[in-house]
Amino acid sequence: MSTSDLLSLCLFSYVVFLCFPYSGAVYSKSKECKRLDIFDIILRDKCPRTSILQSFKTWRFDRRQVLATTFPLDLILQNYVRQVPKCLFSVVYPIPLKTETSLVSYSEGVLNDILDLSDHVTTTKEFVDFVSGSWVLSSSVPLSHRYGGHQFGYWAGQLGDGRAVMLGEYTNQRGERWELQLKGSGRTPYSRQGDGRAVLRSSVREFLCSEAMFHLGIPTSRAAALVVSDDPVMRDQFYDGHPRVERGAVILRLAHSWFRIGSLEILAKNKEFQFLRQLLDFVIENFFLHINTTGKDKYLELYSRIVSDTAELIAQWQSVGFTHGVCNTDNFSLLSITIDYGPFGFMEDYNPKFVPNSSDDEGRYSYEKQPDVGVFNLEKLGEAIKPVLTQQQQKQLPHILKGYESIYKDKFMKLFRQKLGLYTDKEDDENLLAVFLKIMEDTKSDFTMSFRELGEIDLLGLKTEAIPQNYWSLNTMADHEWFWKWIIIYKKRLELEGTTEKRRQSLMNKTNPRYILRNWMAQEAIEKADRNDFSGVNRLLGVLERPMDLDPEAERAGYSSRPPEWSKSLRVSCSS
């Protein structure tokens, strides 16, 4: 096959951004306002801390608990499972664990930079009691949120925080407002048939992945701390009739907001239009500051922004091989951040049909289908806001949604150009990427390490068709008949770029992680933690906080090596 033939291949089925059933122009309003990236704000030191609290006893939630005073609360104060009408929240106190709890791990960055706390507080009984839910601050108004959602394509009715309690809202010294939530703290009115608990296995995974995603630069909820107890929690992990007792755990997680598409859906479905409008206004006023709160098209502008931000978020997921596993509308944030980590997975061998969730028999939420699922969920968001729109405004919703494809594709290509070390935009870049992915797929090469090793290798030093043995993933790719022809084309593309080898490598090694949260790495940490050895969790957390940096300890642990054979049998499910 000649070089020209290779470039002309129509390999669109191998590039995820081309898997859309429709095409359309970008709605202009989606690009009128630059996204207010709340995660960039965190990193800016606009309002430096004046101090870090050494004592947890003096730490308090904001006196003005906005959610509890702004929205209608459930009139029934008793905590029992039921249908809850005409409100957004129920007042629910955490149910304390019965056995002694131990602190598994905490995020130093969250404690110091968000909660204004020193590491010292983690040694105190008060902090562990707070995270476990056995001590509720006097300034706390604990709430569980009522929402609905489409699950695997079907309307599921009332869902809600079945095992989560929001303890309160904290405004830190930078002026950032955060909602703190316990997950696994016991039954709530929204628990349905569940017990409201979470097990150590799933809690370790969520704790580590929340922080891993943040340090990969992907919008996400954060995890502050994780505790474990000896409380027995019965789980049938794979729904195969073999339940077993696991250890109960609680994770303290936080986000600027936990509102999701399902928050609006349940209000629209139940014709609670006054509350629907109230929630939309709140979201605009507090999180979309560039939208004119008095404008007649403010809800359309909000929809356009969420369409745009969701498209960009999913492109970011694709760029690191992250597959959420349960992309239901109740798991899609209105702020377009990654929330509700369950049976997620980082793709290892490049396989567009990768499904991390063993419960997803039909592959609805595979890696390649995530962009299409985004469209489905945004359609449901549009249906939810229809009741507050005029008939003329309702006609605009499909036109806004048509912009999703273009926004997604632009972001996807921008990210993957960076992954290839390219600074500029050329017409044939889509084919260049498509062929690279096709080679990777055919040879079952590792998604993460193929890009990383391509950034680490000295292309100028490749005088013969041979890859040094330590580049194990590229060596796998090199067995493909197209690989060396692709390398020639890639070098020519870099020549057009006019960049140096050092500059290419610098961009690629700042873009492509060396370490991701692979299932086998999490499993090793979980098994140690189950024996009260938390060193694996903490070591892994430290590596994931610096995913681009070469770490000798991580190398010795094999975190960038070919995954062990036993890892292929690992499975995750919705059970947690």
Side-chain angles (χ1 to χ4, degrees):
M1 180 182 292
S2 68
T3 298
S4 59
D5 288 336
L6 185 61
L7 271 178
S8 63
L9 282 173
C10 295
L11 297 171
F12 299 130
S13 60
Y14 298 100
V15 182
V16 177
F17 59 74
L18 296 176
C19 295
F20 290 92
Y22 64 89
S23 62
V26 179
Y27 183 67
S28 61
K29 286 192 176 181
S30 67
K31 292 192 174 180
E32 282 182 358
C33 300
K34 184 181 184 297
R35 177 180 179 183
L36 176 64
D37 196 331
I38 50 185
F39 299 93
D40 285 344
I41 292 174
I42 296 169
L43 298 176
R44 295 184 206 134
D45 205 13
K46 294 176 66 176
C47 303
R49 294 186 303 275
T50 56
S51 64
I52 295 181
L53 296 178
Q54 301 293 323
S55 172
F56 190 66
K57 292 181 180 179
T58 59
W59 189 89
R60 291 290 181 268
F61 287 115
D62 196 326
R63 293 179 181 178
R64 188 175 66 99
Q65 295 296 290
V66 178
L67 297 179
T69 57
T70 301
F71 297 107
L73 300 179
D74 183 6
L75 296 177
I76 299 175
L77 297 181
Q78 290 82 7
N79 183 3
Y80 63 92
V81 176
R82 60 188 183 275
Q83 288 293 306
V84 181
K86 298 180 180 179
C87 73
L88 271 72
F89 296 98
S90 297
V91 176
V92 179
Y93 281 80
I95 300 174
L97 295 162
K98 295 178 181 178
T99 60
E100 185 177 353
T101 55
S102 301
L103 181 67
V104 175
S105 189
Y106 66 91
S107 167
E108 181 179 351
V110 172
L111 257 62
N112 296 174
D113 300 334
I114 296 178
L115 298 181
D116 304 322
L117 291 168
S118 76
D119 296 7
H120 173 73
V121 303
T122 62
T123 65
T124 65
K125 183 177 185 298
E126 290 87 1
F127 181 77
V128 175
D129 288 346
F130 174 75
V131 177
S132 69
S134 61
W135 178 45
V136 178
L137 301 183
S138 59
S139 54
S140 176
V141 182
L143 303 172
S144 286
H145 177 35
R146 168 189 177 234
Y147 54 81
H150 279 80
Q151 297 193 325
F152 290 89
Y154 298 96
W155 174 244
Q158 176 181 292
L159 298 169
D161 288 333
R163 54 182 170 173
V165 172
M166 196 186 71
L167 297 174
E169 303 145 46
Y170 179 70
T171 302
N172 65 21
Q173 294 184 35
R174 289 193 175 101
E176 303 159 355
R177 177 185 164 279
W178 291 86
E179 298 175 4
L180 276 67
Q181 189 181 81
L182 295 183
K183 181 177 178 179
S185 57
R187 186 170 291 185
T188 78
Y190 310 101
S191 294
R192 294 175 288 170
Q193 281 73 48
D195 57 16
R197 293 299 182 191
V199 296
L200 178 64
R201 159 178 51 85
S202 62
S203 301
V204 167
R205 284 170 51 82
E206 173 157 0
F207 174 79
L208 290 173
C209 199
S210 300
E211 292 307 284
M213 292 286 274
F214 174 77
H215 290 283
L216 287 170
I218 297 174
T220 179
S221 57
R222 301 294 303 275
L226 169 65
V227 298
V228 65
S229 73
D230 287 326
D231 282 33
V233 178
M234 186 69 72
R235 288 290 182 271
D236 187 351
Q237 184 176 355
F238 300 113
Y239 307 103
D240 58 3
H242 295 89
R244 67 183 183 92
V245 174
E246 300 186 53
R247 299 177 71 187
V250 181
I251 184 171
L252 174 61
R253 60 184 193 174
L254 57 161
H256 289 285
S257 173
W258 293 99
F259 285 129
R260 54 206 63 209
I261 292 176
S263 305
L264 299 171
E265 283 187 289
I266 197 165
L267 301 177
K269 291 281 187 181
N270 288 283
K271 302 187 186 304
E272 297 168 15
F273 301 141
Q274 177 186 347
F275 301 150
L276 175 64
R277 189 181 296 272
Q278 186 180 4
L279 176 53
L280 286 167
D281 288 342
F282 178 87
V283 170
I284 291 171
E285 290 168 7
N286 287 274
F287 306 111
F288 293 85
L289 307 183
H290 290 101
I291 296 177
N292 182 357
T293 57
T294 61
K296 65 177 182 178
D297 289 331
K298 62 181 178 180
Y299 300 134
L300 284 181
E301 290 184 46
L302 174 65
Y303 183 63
S304 180
R305 288 290 304 280
I306 296 175
V307 166
S308 176
D309 293 351
T310 300
E312 294 197 355
L313 174 67
I314 295 178
Q316 289 176 281
W317 288 357
Q318 306 297 95
S319 74
V320 295
F322 175 79
T323 310
H324 187 281
V326 194
C327 294
N328 299 326
T329 58
D330 54 294
N331 293 331
F332 262 49
S333 160
L334 292 180
L335 301 192
S336 302
I337 63 174
T338 315
I339 61 172
D340 293 354
Y341 293 89
F344 66 84
F346 283 88
M347 181 172 56
E348 293 185 355
D349 294 354
Y350 180 67
N351 173 15
K353 299 187 184 304
F354 169 66
V355 178
N357 181 2
S358 62
S359 304
D360 184 4
D361 297 329
E362 297 180 0
R364 177 181 177 83
Y365 296 142
S366 67
Y367 171 81
E368 69 178 353
K369 290 182 180 177
Q370 286 186 140
D372 289 320
V373 171
V375 174
F376 177 89
N377 289 351
L378 291 166
E379 285 176 343
K380 299 307 174 187
L381 173 61
E383 291 174 11
I385 69 173
K386 269 186 180 180
V388 300
L389 302 178
T390 66
Q391 287 188 346
Q392 189 60 37
Q393 288 174 328
Q394 290 177 13
K395 294 178 181 178
Q396 293 297 312
L397 293 173
H399 298 291
I400 296 173
L401 187 55
K402 282 183 179 179
Y404 175 98
E405 180 183 1
S406 177
I407 296 165
Y408 170 80
K409 181 178 175 180
D410 287 348
K411 182 68 172 182
F412 183 95
M413 283 307 302
K414 178 181 179 182
L415 292 169
F416 275 82
R417 282 191 183 93
Q418 292 173 348
K419 289 178 75 66
L420 289 173
L422 304 175
Y423 290 83
T424 60
D425 179 353
K426 300 295 182 184
E427 186 177 351
D428 285 332
D429 289 347
E430 292 181 13
N431 277 335
L432 183 71
L433 173 61
V435 174
F436 188 71
L437 294 176
K438 180 63 169 70
I439 296 171
M440 199 187 302
E441 181 181 3
D442 286 351
T443 56
K444 296 182 172 56
S445 299
D446 190 85
F447 178 81
T448 299
M449 291 307 295
S450 293
F451 281 104
R452 177 71 187 201
E453 290 177 357
L454 185 64
E456 291 182 348
I457 201 167
D458 178 11
L459 288 179
L460 298 179
L462 291 179
K463 303 301 183 184
T464 61
E465 292 189 358
I467 301 287
Q469 286 302 309
N470 57 310
Y471 296 100
W472 59 271
S473 192
L474 280 186
N475 263 298
T476 303
M477 293 186 72
D479 290 336
H480 199 286
E481 61 177 326
W482 295 350
F483 179 77
W484 290 105
K485 294 174 183 177
W486 185 88
I487 289 290
I488 293 170
I489 298 168
Y490 180 49
K491 286 183 175 180
K492 289 181 177 178
R493 172 64 179 87
L494 291 169
E495 288 175 9
L496 290 175
E497 189 86 357
T499 188
T500 64
E501 181 69 353
K502 183 178 180 181
R503 191 163 178 253
R504 174 192 75 88
Q505 290 181 313
S506 175
L507 176 59
M508 293 185 72
N509 293 332
K510 287 189 297 186
T511 303
N512 297 307
R514 189 169 177 85
Y515 311 109
I516 56 168
L517 182 60
R518 298 175 186 269
N519 277 343
W520 72 268
M521 292 156 58
Q523 185 63 28
E524 284 191 340
I526 290 165
E527 290 177 2
K528 281 188 174 182
D530 204 30
R531 301 191 299 268
N532 290 325
D533 178 356
F534 307 136
S535 62
V537 176
N538 289 299
R539 178 178 66 179
L540 196 45
L541 176 64
V543 171
L544 296 172
E545 287 176 336
R546 297 176 298 276
M548 313 297 176
D549 299 345
L550 186 68
D551 184 316
E553 187 176 358
E555 295 300 303
R556 287 191 294 272
Y559 289 169
S560 66
S561 300
R562 192 185 302 275
E565 279 298 313
W566 62 264
S567 69
K568 294 178 181 178
S569 63
L570 289 175
R571 299 164 59 206
V572 293
S573 73
C574 290
S575 170
S576 59

